[in-house]
C-alpha cells in the first residue's frame, strides 16, 4: 500500500503504541482487500461496546489501547449492554454493571463520544454525501451509505477503533464507485407503507438476494424512518452494506444485469417464518433506535393504557431527553413501559430472562432468536402495543 509520511510514521510507532497497533490493523485489512492507499475519514462510529459481546478479553484490549490512544477523527459510540445511568430499571445488575462502565470509560478516555446509539445521525454524527467515514453497526452502515450517500465499509469493532485512533481507513469496497452499484433489481409487487412494512420487505429481499447489492423498483416514496427500518433488515438478512431504492435513495444505481420480482406472497411467507408459537412475555421496539417522531408514535399508542408485560423503548439518550421535554417519555412511563437509552434488546444481557419477544423490527427478531434463544413474533408497532397491554 502507498502510505503517506504521516501514516508511515504511525506505523513505525512515532505516534505511540495505540496508533501503531491501529495502523497495523488497517494495513493488514488493506492488504487483504487490495487497497492501494488509505483514505482520511470525517467520522467514525465505533461498535463492539456491549460487555456482553466483548468479555474480559475485549475489555483488556480496550484498556491497552486507552493507554496512549487518542482519537484523530470525530467518533461516536454504539449501544452498550445497559442504561449507563440506571441499569437497575432494566433489571441489569452485578458485575456486569462495573465491567460495562469500565468499557465505556476506556472509550471515553480515547476521546470517543459516549453517544451509545446505533443512530448516530440523530445526535450529531451525520456525514454529508460523498464523505468517507468508518462506521461499525450494520444498520448504521446501511443508513450512512444508502440514505446519506456517505462511504463506509462494514467495520468491525477493532477496525472502527483503529480508524478512530488514526483518522484513516483503507480505500476499498464501499469507498470506491464500482462496488456500490446494484447487481440485481427487485421489482416490488406490493409497495410498502410504514416502518414495519419496510422492515419486512428488507427481510424478504435480504433472504432472496443475499449479499448481492440490490435496487428496489416500484417504490415511489419513503421517509427517513422507513429507509432506516428497511436498511436494518436488508443488512441483517442479506449482509449488505448498501441498498438502493430507485428514485428515492441518492446513489447512482448502475445497470443491474438481472431483474427479479418480489411478490406480496413471498413477503407474507417471510413474516410468517418470523412468528413463533410461544406466548409473548417481552415487547421491545426501537431497533434501530427510535427517531423523535417514532417516540411520539409510541407515546400516542400507549396514552391512557397500561402494559402488562415488560416493554422496552430503545432510543438514544439525547433523543430521550428531547422526548421528555415534549412529554412523550412521561406518557410512556405512565403506561408502565420503560425507556431503554444507551442499549437495546439485542446487546443487553437478556438470555434466559424472557421466553418470547414481540418486536416491529425484523432485525431485532433475527438476533433475539440467535443471541438470546428467544422465540419471536414480528408485528407492527400497533400490534406490539396491543400485545403489551393485553
Ligand atoms: Fe441498534 Fe441494537 Fe438494533 S444496536 S440496530 S437497536 S440490534
Amino acid at each position: 500500500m502507498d502510505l503517506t509520511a504521516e501514516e508511515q510514521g504511525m506505523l513505525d510507532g512515532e505516534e505511540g503504541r495505540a496508533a501503531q497497533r491501529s495502523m497495523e490493523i488497517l494495513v493488514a485489512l488493506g492488504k487483504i482487500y487490495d487497497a492501494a492507499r488509505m483514505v482520511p475519514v470525517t467520522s467514525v462510529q465505533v461498535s463492539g461496546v456491549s460487555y456482553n459481546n466483548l468479555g474480559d478479553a475485549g475489555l483488556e484490549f480496550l484498556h491497552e489501547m486507552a493507554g496512549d490512544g487518542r482519537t484523530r477523527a470525530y467518533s461516536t459510540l454504539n449501544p452498550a449492554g445497559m442504561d449507563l445511568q440506571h441499569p437497575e430499571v432494566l433489571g441489569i445488575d452485578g458485575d456486569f454493571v462495573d465491567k460495562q462502565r469500565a468499557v465505556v470509560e476506556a472509550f471515553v478516555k480515547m476521546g470517543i463520544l459516549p453517544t451509545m446509539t446505533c443512530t448516530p445521525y440523530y445526535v450529531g454524527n451525520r456525514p454529508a454525501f460523498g464523505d468517507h467515514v468508518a462506521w461499525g453497526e450494520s444498520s448504521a452502515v446501511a443508513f450512512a451509505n444508502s440514505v446519506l450517500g456517505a462511504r463506509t465499509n462494514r467495520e468491525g469493532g477493532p477496525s472502527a477503533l483503529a480508524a478512530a485512533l488514526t483518522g484513516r481507513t483503507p480505500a476499498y469496497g464501499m469507498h470506491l464507485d464500482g462496488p456500490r452499484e446494484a447487481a440485481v433489481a427487485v421489482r416490488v409487487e406490493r409497495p410498502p407503507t410504514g416502518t414495519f412494512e419496510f422492515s419486512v420487505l428488507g427481510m424478504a429481499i435480504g433472504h432472496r438476494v443475499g449479499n448481492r447489492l440490490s435496487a428496489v423498483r416500484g417504490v415511489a416514496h419513503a421517509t427517513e424512518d422507513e429507509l432506516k427500518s428497511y436498511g436494518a433488515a436488508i443488512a441483517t438478512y442479506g449482509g449488505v452494506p448498501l441498498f438502493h431504492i430507485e428514485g428515492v435513495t441518492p446513489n447512482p444505481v448502475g445497470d443491474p444485469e438481472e431483474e427479479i420480482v418480489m411478490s406480496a406472497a413471498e413477503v407474507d411467507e417471510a413474516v410468517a417464518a418470523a412468528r413463533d408459537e410461544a406466548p409473548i412475555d417481552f415487547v421491545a421496539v426501537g431497533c434501530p433506535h427510535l427517531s423523535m417522531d417514532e417516540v411520539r408514535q409510541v407515546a400516542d399508542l400507549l396514552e391512557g393504557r397500561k402494559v402488562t408485560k415488560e416493554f422496552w423503548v430503545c432510543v438514544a439518550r439525547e433523543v430521550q431527553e428531547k422526548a421528555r421535554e415534549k412529554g412523550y417519555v412521561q406518557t410512556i412511563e405512565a403506561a408502565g413501559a420503560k425507556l431503554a437509552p444507551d442499549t437495546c434488546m439485542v446487546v443487553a444481557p437478556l438470555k434466559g430472562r424472557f421466553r418470547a419477544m414481540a418486536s416491529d423490527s425484523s432485525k431485532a427478531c433475527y438476533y433475539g432468536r440467535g443471541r438470546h434463544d428467544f422465540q419471536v413474533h414480528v408485528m407492527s408497532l400497533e400490534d406490539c402495543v396491543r400485545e403489551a397491554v393485553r
Side-chain angles (χ1 to χ4, degrees):
M1 283 180 81
D2 259 349
L3 297 183
T4 64
E6 191 188 352
E7 290 158 2
Q8 188 64 50
M10 286 192 246
L11 188 60
D12 293 342
E14 291 166 12
E15 302 292 335
R17 184 66 188 124
Q20 182 179 33
R21 284 182 78 180
S22 298
M23 198 47 91
E24 285 167 358
I25 292 170
L26 298 178
V27 168
L29 261 179
K31 284 185 176 159
I32 291 168
Y33 291 105
D34 237 359
R37 62 188 175 90
M38 296 287 171
V39 61
V41 293
T42 55
S43 87
V44 179
Q45 165 76 359
V46 178
S47 59
V49 182
S50 174
Y51 176 70
N52 204 33
N53 304 334
L54 284 167
D56 285 331
L59 178 54
E60 198 178 317
F61 172 73
L62 291 175
H63 274 315
E64 283 172 23
M65 296 301 268
D68 66 356
R70 297 297 176 266
T71 51
R72 285 180 169 76
Y74 171 56
S75 303
T76 49
L77 208 53
N78 219 41
M82 63 185 201
D83 173 341
L84 263 282
Q85 291 181 11
H86 299 291
E88 70 287 351
V89 172
L90 301 178
I92 294 163
D93 51 21
D95 196 37
F96 186 91
V97 171
D98 297 334
K99 293 285 177 68
Q100 184 62 76
R101 290 207 165 113
V103 166
V104 173
E105 277 163 21
F107 282 124
V108 168
K109 188 175 174 201
M110 289 184 262
I112 298 162
L113 296 172
T115 45
M116 286 166 293
T117 179
C118 49
T119 52
Y121 37 90
Y122 294 153
V123 298
N125 189 353
R126 194 177 170 96
F129 186 89
D131 280 359
H132 292 274
V133 300
W135 281 24
E137 210 300 293
S138 64
S139 77
V141 167
F143 192 93
N145 276 320
S146 319
V147 182
L148 302 179
R151 291 169 175 249
T152 178
N153 289 314
R154 266 169 85 130
E155 303 296 344
S159 66
L161 180 61
L165 300 183
T166 59
R168 303 290 196 283
T169 195
Y172 70 93
M174 292 297 106
H175 294 283
L176 311 177
D177 290 338
R180 296 172 66 88
E181 294 184 352
V184 52
V186 184
R187 186 159 294 283
V188 170
E189 191 181 88
R190 183 178 62 202
T193 319
T195 53
F196 171 69
E197 289 187 13
F198 271 86
S199 179
V200 296
L201 178 66
M203 170 172 68
I205 293 179
H207 269 315
R208 178 89 172 271
V209 305
N211 62 7
R212 289 186 298 163
L213 294 196
S214 59
V216 165
R217 290 178 175 158
V219 173
H221 175 74
T223 66
E224 209 173 80
D225 288 338
E226 289 167 341
L227 294 173
K228 176 182 71 171
S229 296
Y230 178 80
I234 196 166
T236 298
Y237 288 87
V240 291
L242 186 152
F243 65 86
H244 301 274
I245 297 184
E246 278 187 0
V248 175
T249 51
N251 295 294
V253 169
D255 191 15
E257 65 234 11
E258 185 193 354
E259 181 180 275
I260 59 172
V261 174
M262 176 54 60
S263 69
E266 194 171 341
V267 177
D268 293 342
E269 276 166 30
V271 171
R275 286 182 175 162
D276 296 323
E277 296 297 321
I280 294 159
D281 56 355
F282 179 43
V283 180
V285 300
C287 173
H289 279 176
L290 300 181
S291 67
M292 181 65 100
D293 190 55
E294 290 173 312
V295 179
R296 180 193 57 72
Q297 289 173 40
V298 175
D300 284 352
L301 288 166
L302 284 171
E303 172 107 53
R305 306 172 93 175
K306 283 278 177 208
V307 301
T308 59
K309 304 176 176 80
E310 182 88 356
F311 188 128
W312 285 20
V313 180
C314 304
V315 68
R317 181 171 294 281
E318 195 176 316
V319 172
Q320 173 187 267
E321 292 318 315
K322 287 185 182 146
R324 191 185 300 283
E325 286 166 20
K326 292 189 179 292
Y328 306 152
V329 168
Q330 293 85 331
T331 303
I332 291 168
E333 289 178 342
K338 297 174 179 175
L339 272 290
D342 308 332
T343 189
C344 78
M345 69 297 269
V346 169
V347 298
L350 295 181
K351 196 167 187 171
R353 225 173 107 185
F354 304 105
R355 183 139 181 252
M357 176 181 75
S359 180
D360 59 343
S361 162
S362 54
K363 173 175 180 174
C365 289
Y366 178 93
Y367 285 107
R369 269 181 182 157
R371 292 212 183 152
H372 301 320
D373 289 339
F374 290 162
Q375 297 217 2
V376 297
H377 300 251
V378 74
M379 58 180 70
S380 69
L381 178 62
E382 291 77 6
D383 285 343
C384 282
V385 170
R386 209 168 289 135
E387 202 38 68
V389 300
R390 200 146 58 150

